Amino acid sequence: MGRITFRRLEDLEVAGKTVLVRADLNVPMQGGRVTDSTRILRLLPTLQYLVKKKARIVLLSHFDRPGGIFVPSLSLSPLVDAISEALGGRPVQFGVDCVGPAAREAVARLKPGEVLLLENLRFHPEEEKGDVQFARDLASLGDVFVNDAFSCSHRRHASITGIASVLPSAVGRLMEEELHMLQRIFSKTARPVAAIVGGSKISSKLALLENLTSVVDVLVIGGAMANTFLYAEGYDVGKSLVEKSLKNTAKNILARAGKKGCRIVLPVDVVVARSLESQRGNKVVGVDHIPAWGIAADIGPATVKLFCEAVIPCKTAVWNGPMGAFETAPFDSGTIMLARYIALLTGKKQLRSIGGGGDTVAALARAGLEDGFSYLSAAGGAFLEWLEGKELPGVAVLERASRKARSRA
Ligand code: ADP
Ligand code: MG
């Protein structure tokens, strides 16, 4: 990866201007409350700079996957208080739509140094389609654009690539830090490299694993992601979260990994539960004994040991996706035990460890292990794609913009 230079916040005229900031406010929430504000706190350097410069700040973000329609439970409105609190009590306005008259009026009311959060971008199907007119409608709300959502920059969505093609653009502080740190860490990657992948976004991440096997030496698969692989190997996974239609993709990954010099490590035991919320009646079973009623909610103790041992010979470990449904104890055990061990190896300078992903970072924060890793990225899927050496569309568009600006200068 060559070093790329981008236009930074300082390179934009922002004083008194309306600045559109694409953020990733897809924070962990439960019952309409923010349960982990890491992503909000990491946005502060950009927000504080813009407040100080007396810019009018318009925050754009998606939340979860409403599928292009208004879903009340996926509104960004509960974030207003959390953002305001992070900004030391500075009031934050809310716009009930991200485009159209409601958005325009909310922006028009904004005074220099004030912050406005607009409603979930994905309530409009045009966002994920990368619709050009929708991007223009968004862009018409502001004078300049700041992308501070590295974690979404692998998506060719209207708010990521579209606005940047229309307005003068720059990278935000968080995205700048992410790119800088990842470039630094991976410019000379110490081998062997282990990738630990878990979580539940199976359909969007499983295909990435195919390429990842060409890049890493060991691929450890846990969490709900592992269920599809266990299913592909012929195991009965009961009522576990599984993507049966991806059976053949999983099979191919397993069959080809060896030829690429990548060892794949799958769970040998799991904690099964009757529901992901229930703490009663759980038990540890071998992966060949998952009962028909069972949901594999976490990796078992033998798997924790196996995964730790797989990391020992490695010099670098990258991790995206929790090993279990960590939001409910005790299904956080596998994730915490593995994280503690990685933190231990990192502390002894035996390992360079990079964690990425909203939920992964939340799980590590829950275990008090934020400082135990060499670096934590807010990005999950984008981080995996970056690792594979893929060009991220959201990064590429800013790069082109910066080249153009330089040649004009
Ligand atoms: P990240 O946000 O770090 O990229 P994902 O969004 O892919 O990670 O996955 C996180 C989610 O995966 C969490 O909500 C967690 O509860 C869920 N998860 C992990 N393992 C399991 C499992 N075995 N069964 C159900 N859900 C799981
Ligand atoms: Mg997630």
Side-chain angles (χ1 to χ4, degrees), residues 66-259:
I69 51 163
F70 175 67
V71 180
S73 62
L74 301 183
S75 170
L76 278 172
S77 57
L79 272 89
V80 165
D81 288 345
I83 298 170
S84 169
E85 193 185 321
L87 282 167
R90 179 172 288 275
V92 173
Q93 324 288 331
F94 186 70
V96 296
D97 200 352
C98 62
V99 287
R104 277 197 301 274
E105 280 157 30
V107 172
R109 279 196 298 273
L110 205 56
K111 296 190 186 69
E114 284 186 353
V115 181
L116 165 70
L117 171 66
L118 293 182
E119 186 57 289
N120 195 343
L121 292 158
R122 290 192 188 165
F123 284 168
H124 295 266
E126 296 87 351
E127 160 67 359
E128 289 178 83
K129 287 190 194 132
D131 185 84
V132 174
Q133 188 51 50
F134 183 69
R136 287 208 185 104
D137 293 345
L138 288 169
S140 72
L141 297 170
D143 303 304
V144 292
F145 174 66
V146 173
N147 183 353
D148 216 9
F150 174 66
S151 48
C152 309
S153 294
H154 57 318
R155 308 249 181 249
R156 220 173 272 283
H157 293 175
S159 67
I160 297 288
T161 46
I163 308 178
S165 324
V166 181
L167 293 180
S169 313
V171 296
R173 287 279 193 273
L174 172 59
M175 176 137 159
E176 188 182 338
E177 180 203 289
E178 296 255 34
L179 287 166
H180 176 75
M181 288 303 289
L182 292 179
Q183 280 174 352
R184 210 179 74 182
I185 291 168
F186 291 103
S187 60
K188 26 182 205 313
T189 317
R191 290 198 168 266
V193 182
I196 302 161
V197 181
S200 60
K201 281 187 195 153
I202 308 168
S203 52
S204 69
K205 287 181 188 166
L206 196 119
L208 293 177
L209 300 188
E210 166 96 64
N211 296 326
L212 212 55
T213 56
S214 325
V215 181
V216 303
D217 305 287
V218 184
L219 176 59
V220 173
I221 306 173
M225 179 68 88
N227 299 335
T228 302
F229 284 87
L230 293 173
Y231 177 72
E233 294 229 290
Y235 295 111
D236 197 336
V237 294
K239 294 211 156 43
S240 305
L241 181 58
V242 61
E243 203 75 60
K244 293 192 173 166
S245 61
L246 293 174
K247 182 179 177 175
N248 286 331
T249 317
K251 263 191 172 167
N252 282 335
I253 295 172
L254 291 169
R256 292 196 206 134
K259 293 190 200 99

Side-chain angles (χ1 to χ4, degrees), residues 33-52:
R33 288 190 53 132
V34 177
T35 53
D36 179 84
S37 48
T38 308
R39 279 192 161 153
I40 298 173
L41 298 177
R42 295 194 72 178
L43 206 58
L44 286 181
T46 294
L47 296 184
Q48 283 160 345
Y49 174 87
L50 294 172
V51 166
K52 206 174 83 201

